[in-house]
Amino acid sequence: MENIESIEQVLDKMDIATIKKQVKSPVESISILIAGFVFLQLNFFFNFDTGSVFPPMFLILAFGLFIWGILSLLFRKKYYFNSQTKQKLKTLEVLVDAKERDKLVKIMNSRNYNELKNLKLSNQDSLKLRYMTTKDGSLCFSQVISYVPYEFVKITTVQMHKDKEAKEFLENIKTTKY
């Protein structure tokens, strides 16, 4: 079976003049680590009674803040931006009835997006039309993904929609009904 790239993999390889990848700022994570350090130091600056609940509470709070700060520093969220408009790409999914797989693939390959409104949607995520779009709808990337036992498999390659085509795609996605 051929290895089809995900939307994120395609965006990572794109020219920086089109799509820019940005990682969330570490300021919040560092602030959390500093707060943990402050709570740790509170034990040394104040003289608490022997049976006081504050020293262990401050230690537990400091330890929790250290863990949270380190994890949020290591696993920062990544965002994709349209380089021209500086708009963030938002990821969305439409769950489609699994019986509509061939029809959905045909629609996406032929780029006949008017047919998207005729698809039967589902509450189960066995077949997804996953897309990333800017707020104004000027740029959009889409891909069909299906659940094959124990994993999601990419069915179609990533398609890039710009301007008029992107607006048509998004307009037809919004009019699909359950």
Side-chain angles (χ1 to χ4, degrees):
M1 185 172 183
E2 66 184 87
N3 188 14
I4 300 174
E5 294 179 322
S6 69
I7 295 175
E8 288 81 3
Q9 290 170 329
V10 170
L11 293 178
D12 285 339
K13 292 180 180 179
M14 285 190 82
D15 182 28
I16 198 163
T18 308
I19 297 294
K20 185 178 176 186
K21 181 179 173 181
Q22 188 171 354
V23 181
K24 186 178 176 184
S25 172
V27 172
E28 182 181 327
S29 304
I30 293 170
S31 299
I32 293 169
L33 287 170
I34 290 171
F37 182 74
V38 167
F39 278 106
L40 185 64
Q41 294 303 312
L42 284 176
N43 282 327
F44 300 112
F45 286 121
F46 294 107
N47 292 328
F48 294 107
D49 293 335
T50 306
S52 177
V53 72
F54 289 111
M57 182 179 68
F58 286 154
L59 285 174
I60 290 172
L61 194 56
F63 180 71
L65 289 171
F66 280 136
I67 297 294
W68 181 17
I70 290 170
L71 290 176
S72 66
L73 190 63
L74 293 176
F75 301 106
R76 289 185 286 160
K77 205 170 194 176
K78 295 171 184 72
Y79 300 103
Y80 294 96
F81 288 89
N82 182 343
S83 295
Q84 286 89 26
T85 63
K86 307 291 187 227
Q87 290 187 12
K88 185 173 138 181
L89 289 167
K90 182 178 179 182
T91 304
L92 301 161
E93 293 178 345
V94 175
L95 305 178
V96 181
D97 189 352
K99 296 174 187 169
E100 301 278 316
R101 176 181 168 167
D102 293 335
K103 187 176 179 182
L104 178 59
V105 170
K106 184 179 177 185
I107 290 168
M108 295 307 293
N109 287 336
S110 67
R111 294 183 180 256
N112 184 13
Y113 304 122
N114 290 326
E115 294 294 319
L116 287 172
K117 350 178 193 189
N118 300 329
L119 290 173
K120 295 177 189 167
L121 299 183
S122 175
N123 292 328
Q124 299 175 355
D125 62 350
S126 59
L127 183 64
K128 297 179 190 180
L129 175 56
R130 186 167 181 264
Y131 60 100
M132 291 179 83
T133 183
T134 57
K135 189 174 185 178
D136 68 354
S138 63
L139 182 64
C140 182
F141 296 89
S142 63
Q143 184 173 37
V144 177
I145 300 172
S146 179
Y147 182 77
V148 178
Y150 309 114
E151 67 178 331
F152 281 98
V153 177
K154 296 161 226 54
I155 304 299
T156 62
T157 57
V158 175
Q159 293 181 355
M160 183 167 108
H161 317 284
K162 283 186 172 181
D163 302 323
K164 186 179 176 186
E165 183 182 350
K167 291 186 189 302
E168 179 187 357
F169 174 80
L170 294 170
E171 185 179 301
N172 285 301
I173 282 291
K174 291 176 183 174
T175 59
T176 55
K177 297 176 183 158
Y178 282 95

